Amino acid sequence: MPDPSNVAQEILKVTENLPKFHRNPEGELTSYGISAKTLEFFCSLLEPGMKTLETGAGYSTVGFAISGTEHTSISLKEEEGVLIRHYCRENRLRDDFRHLWGSSDELIQSPDIPKTLDFILIDGAHRFPYALSLIHI
């Protein structure tokens, strides 16, 4: 079980280091990370062992890993999952999350996603009205 003070320290480290997990239109590595306050808030709601899902990937994925959840992320690019996993390994964080790449509206029915979920984070271009495709979960 992660120590809450360690979780807070690791979250702070992520938001200070600003790792780059995404590519901008020019192909350069960049960050489209969520804010430190958002990351801190949703991680405060998590408990180890929770089954979690996010549409999107980035600092939030690291937050789920730090919090000890059984996590699945869905994003359009495989590279994002690779970069996040590399960051976690470099920083001695859990890296056993599942990363699925492709369109979330297609992958949401993947057998790799638990049928029962405790927490879902809808991020990025998965906002309304796109999130309506997820309501059938």
Side-chain angles (χ1 to χ4, degrees):
M1 175 177 223
D3 176 340
S5 63
N6 286 348
V7 170
Q9 289 173 341
E10 291 301 332
I11 290 169
L12 181 62
K13 190 158 73 169
V14 171
T15 59
E16 287 177 347
N17 290 343
L18 302 175
K20 298 176 180 180
F21 302 135
H22 308 97
R23 292 214 179 255
N24 65 21
E26 291 76 37
E28 301 161 334
L29 280 174
T30 191
S31 173
Y32 297 124
I34 61 175
S35 73
K37 293 273 186 213
T38 301
L39 186 60
E40 290 168 12
F41 172 72
F42 90 74
C43 286
S44 75
L45 303 174
L46 301 174
E47 296 177 16
M50 289 176 95
K51 290 179 172 67
T52 59
L53 171 70
E54 76 178 304
T55 57
Y59 298 171
S60 50
T61 311
V62 178
F64 283 109
I66 290 167
S67 300
T69 66
E70 294 178 31
H71 186 61
T72 304
S73 66
I74 301 174
S75 74
L76 290 173
K77 301 194 172 140
E78 179 181 16
E79 181 186 36
E80 293 170 355
V82 171
L83 293 170
I84 295 164
R85 197 173 312 280
H86 178 75
Y87 176 85
C88 288
R89 287 180 180 155
E90 268 189 348
N91 290 277
R92 298 183 187 172
L93 302 173
R94 290 182 60 223
D95 68 345
D96 59 346
F97 59 88
R98 285 179 224 75
H99 179 74
L100 307 176
W101 62 93
S103 179
S104 58
D105 64 329
E106 294 173 6
L107 291 173
I108 201 69
Q109 293 299 319
S110 168
D112 293 323
I113 298 174
K115 295 297 178 203
T116 303
L117 296 162
D118 300 303
F119 191 97
I120 301 171
L121 176 66
I122 300 171
D123 189 18
H126 312 280
R127 64 197 174 279
F128 184 84
Y130 307 107
L132 289 178
S133 67
L134 302 178
I135 288 179
H136 62 274
I137 292 179

